[in-house]
Amino acid sequence: MNFVCLDMEGVLVPEIWIAFAETSGIPALKRTTRDEPDYDKLMSWRLGILKEHGLGLPEIQAVIAKIDPLPGAKDFLDRLRARTQVAILSDTFEEFAMPLMAKLGYPTILCNSLETAENGEITDYKMRCRQSKLTTVKALQSIGYETIAAGDSYNDLAMIQASKAGFLFKSTDAIKAAHPEIPAFEEFDELLHAIQAAL
């Protein structure tokens, strides 16, 4: 019995923070988990920049409303979900992810949540659990599933390495060079074929 675990941003949809950085004109917000392995450090830094510029959840959600999944992502997910169980494991937040899940046909997503003030300021964030992707993969394995994982960033490596098969997808040259043992793909058809071969 298999369970496929996929990252969301950079794999199925564009990076939300990059889109927001471009819209808001704040290039510093382009920094993502592809660049910074320490997620708490990254999020604290982001919240500081938002506060400095007086920006909050409403402004980010307005940008998210205009984001579409990557070309081919929904078809890839549909074909994969017809073959096996699939969950999206993301370090994003429910408040960011739900409009995008609607565009992907409401796949299962396990992510985190934000704490906001009445004026929309993001005051804090709540992680679902420590090392959420690795913890979830191990939990699935503990109840009898074999996992197959794919992602693009530093925070995906642990779930990829802990799974019976794992892949990098649309990752950076630095991550691919540091982990030549992990097969890397750029096209959804290639990733689908590799996952199906591992089922």
Side-chain angles (χ1 to χ4, degrees):
M1 297 173 69
N2 295 287
F3 220 114
V4 176
C5 299
L6 302 171
D7 179 37
M8 183 182 86
E9 291 180 72
V11 173
L12 298 171
V13 304
E15 293 278 355
I16 291 168
W17 286 101
I18 291 177
F20 185 66
E22 291 169 351
T23 301
S24 65
I26 306 171
L29 286 173
K30 288 186 177 181
R31 191 166 178 79
T32 71
T33 51
R34 290 175 168 218
D35 313 298
E36 174 54 68
D38 186 329
Y39 191 74
D40 285 325
K41 180 179 175 184
L42 179 64
M43 274 307 299
S44 296
W45 182 75
R46 285 169 170 168
L47 294 187
I49 292 174
L50 292 177
K51 188 174 182 67
E52 178 186 333
H53 290 271
L55 298 169
L57 184 58
E59 291 82 8
I60 298 173
Q61 287 179 326
V63 172
I64 292 170
K66 298 174 184 173
I67 295 175
D68 287 321
L70 294 172
K74 186 176 186 304
D75 180 61
F76 162 76
L77 261 186
D78 289 346
R79 290 162 68 192
L80 187 57
R81 291 168 71 195
R83 289 285 311 273
T84 188
Q85 297 295 314
V86 179
I88 298 170
L89 307 185
S90 177
D91 281 338
T92 193
F93 307 96
E94 293 173 356
E95 295 83 355
F96 290 4
M98 293 321 293
L100 295 165
M101 292 306 97
K103 294 179 181 182
L104 287 170
Y106 293 105
T108 297
I109 182 168
L110 303 175
C111 59
N112 305 305
S113 61
L114 293 170
E115 294 180 9
T116 56
E118 284 188 18
N119 66 356
E121 178 188 349
I122 301 171
T123 55
D124 205 354
Y125 59 97
K126 184 175 181 182
M127 303 298 283
R128 185 171 51 83
C129 58
R130 287 184 55 78
Q131 293 187 298
S132 62
K133 297 182 184 190
L134 176 61
T135 301
T136 302
V137 160
K138 287 185 172 179
L140 288 167
Q141 292 166 351
S142 77
I143 57 171
Y145 286 101
E146 290 187 297
T147 59
I148 299 167
D152 69 325
S153 297
Y154 287 106
N155 64 342
D156 299 314
L157 292 172
M159 75 168 178
I160 289 170
Q161 292 163 335
S163 294
K164 76 166 182 176
F167 311 102
L168 291 169
F169 187 67
K170 297 184 183 293
S171 190
T172 66
D173 289 341
I175 293 174
K176 288 187 283 190
H179 295 278
E181 76 282 4
I182 303 175
F185 302 106
E186 297 296 323
E187 302 296 332
F188 283 114
D189 282 348
E190 295 173 332
L191 180 59
L192 182 64
H193 179 76
I195 292 173
Q196 288 176 334
L199 290 174

